[in-house]
Structure formats: structure tokens, C-alpha cells
Amino acid sequence: MTDPNAVSPKDRFFTVYGRKPVLEALTDPELEVDKVILADTARGAAASEIRRAATDAGVAVQHASAHRVKVLAGNGKQDQGVLADVVAPRMRPLAQALADRNPPSPLLVLDGITTPANVGMILRTATAAGLGGIVVPRRGVAALDPLVVKASAGVAFRAPVLRTGTALDAAEQLTDAGFAVYALGSTDSTSTDAAHGTGESLFDAELPARSAFVLGGETEGVDADVAGYVASWLSIPMPGDVESLNVSAAAAVLCFELVRRGNAG
């Protein structure tokens, strides 16, 4: 098991890469850029423009090998020799949030969601709904990169993101902190989640003040080990002839049901 109290630089920053995203971050007055890392091989007008923008913003520019930039960006094809660490003011470790006298609630927990567009849309929706936080594990979920930021329409930078090693770490910590952990199961009787498909309707369930909702991945659903911590499975009634909803659509239904109840915001 990973150390749930370990703090990573990824618990503080969104790393954006590519010339245009970095330049946009540097010139956005609402964003705080911690640093820019430019490849030693970066030349030309674009590199000069980034250096000028960094100087104007009072941001330090560090230099590294092109290989190092690729490693730090986590994307060997689109980094274009430059990245920036953008401060996310509401991002912090889950363990730190749970140590608060009044821990944030309700929470979403992303488990195995690997499509950046889905992660970005969930961050946007949950932030709009005023949820206490979205647990985005460092492993097993799409990296918080420019694709996620784009899908969130920029909201990701100020989303209440809570970080931990894995979704399993999150489930364990939340259970220990007295949260009731729920998961959304498929309503399709032929699916691999059929045992959970008869779960109580989201619209009828009684939900305690401290609650967290696990959203499973696009193909595998909720991890079996994480499912061991689920107190109850919930379903979204779908009277039409559709097997399931996209995970970001399901998240939207959940978030605004919580708003309707007065549990969020």
C-alpha cells in the first residue's frame, strides 16, 4: 500500500506543457505560475516570447535537457520543449483535508477514469455544484494536464482537487474518517456490475452528512478492492432503452441531485 500521507509536487500544481498553453498561463492574470522549465534545445520566436512573458510575470525560468522536460511533462509528443507548474490554490492532499475540524463533504472519488475529457468535465461539474472536493488519485486516473484543463474550460485550476496515491488509499482514508462510501453501479442487468445494478435509486437514498461517491472507470468500473469499502451501491433510474451513462454524465446527475437536496454548495 502507498503512504497516504506522502506529499507530491503534483498535490500543489497543474503541470501544463506546450508553447501555447504555457504562454496562456503566463499571461492570465488570474493564474499564479510557480516556474517554467524550458528545454536547452528550445530556440526561436516562441521560446523568446515565453521568456519575455515569464519575465513580465516575475516567474523563474529553469533550463533542462529536452529529455528531462519530456519526463516532467509526462508527454513525449506534445510538450514542445516547455512546461509550467501552475499553482492550484484549492488543491491539497486528501489526508490534509480529512484532518480539518470539519472535513469537506460531499466528495467524489475518481477510480480508473482514464479519459482526460471525462476528468475535466467532472471537475467542472463538481466545482459548479459546490461539492466539497474531488479526489483525483495520482495513479490510475488521467493526469491533470492541458487536455483535462481544456475539457474543464479552465475550471480545473480552481477546482477543489484532493490528491492521494490511489483510489484504494482514498477509500481507506475516507472510511477511517467516518465517511459513508457509496458507488454508482450499472442499471444494466446484463453488465458485469449486475449484482450492484439493483442498488437503491440515487433519488431515494438517505445520505449522511459525511458521504463520498466513487465513480468507476470507463471500461472496468469500480475496482474490486475499492468496492470492498463501499457501504451501498446507488443507481440512476433510466426508464429509456439505454444501458448506461457516460461517467461524466452520471457525475452531473449525482452532483445536481446533491444540490437539489441541499447537500452541496
Side-chain angles (χ1 to χ4, degrees):
M1 176 186 163
T2 57
D3 179 1
N5 297 311
V7 178
S8 163
K10 295 181 180 179
D11 294 340
R12 299 179 54 219
F13 306 121
F14 272 80
T15 296
V16 298
Y17 51 77
R19 295 165 190 163
K20 183 177 179 181
V22 169
L23 193 59
E24 287 177 347
L26 286 169
T27 55
D28 187 333
E30 295 185 0
L31 297 181
E32 177 186 351
V33 178
D34 180 73
K35 61 181 174 294
V36 171
I37 301 179
L38 197 61
D40 295 332
T41 55
R43 299 285 189 274
S48 297
E49 188 176 11
I50 287 170
R51 290 191 186 93
R52 284 195 299 271
T55 298
D56 291 344
V59 175
V61 177
Q62 302 177 8
H63 292 85
S65 69
H67 175 71
R68 181 61 177 161
V69 171
K70 290 184 187 302
V71 170
L72 292 173
N75 188 307
K77 296 181 180 180
Q78 298 176 332
D79 63 82
Q80 297 179 312
V82 62
L83 62 83
D85 283 337
V86 181
V87 176
R90 299 179 70 191
M91 182 188 292
R92 56 178 172 159
L94 174 62
Q96 185 182 101
L98 294 179
D100 287 353
R101 184 171 183 178
N102 294 304
S105 180
L107 304 177
L108 299 185
V109 179
L110 308 192
D111 176 19
I113 300 175
T114 57
T115 302
N118 284 334
V119 174
M121 287 186 284
I122 291 170
L123 292 181
R124 181 176 177 82
T125 298
T127 303
L131 264 68
I134 310 100
V135 181
V136 184
R138 294 188 293 273
R139 293 183 294 283
V141 173
L144 297 177
D145 64 11
L147 297 176
V148 169
V149 172
K150 182 177 180 180
S152 76
V155 171
F157 289 125
R158 61 179 187 273
V161 174
L162 304 176
R163 298 292 256 165
T164 189
T166 66
L168 180 59
D169 292 338
E172 292 174 341
Q173 292 178 65
L174 289 164
T175 300
D176 290 345
F179 277 69
V181 178
Y182 297 90
L184 292 185
S186 170
T187 57
D188 173 21
S189 62
T190 65
S191 76
T192 55
D193 268 343
H196 307 132
T198 56
E200 186 176 10
S201 166
L202 166 65
F203 305 134
D204 298 330
E206 292 188 13
L207 304 174
R210 287 194 181 187
S211 55
F213 302 85
V214 180
L215 298 172
E218 296 89 349
T219 56
E220 301 297 327
V222 176
D223 178 81
D225 290 334
V226 174
Y229 286 87
V230 172
S232 181
W233 289 78
L234 303 174
S235 62
I236 297 172
M238 290 186 289
D241 187 21
V242 175
E243 293 181 356
S244 63
L245 294 177
N246 169 279
V247 65
S248 64
V253 174
L254 167 62
C255 287
F256 286 97
E257 169 62 11
L258 295 173
V259 171
R260 187 192 67 80
R261 290 170 178 244
N263 291 19

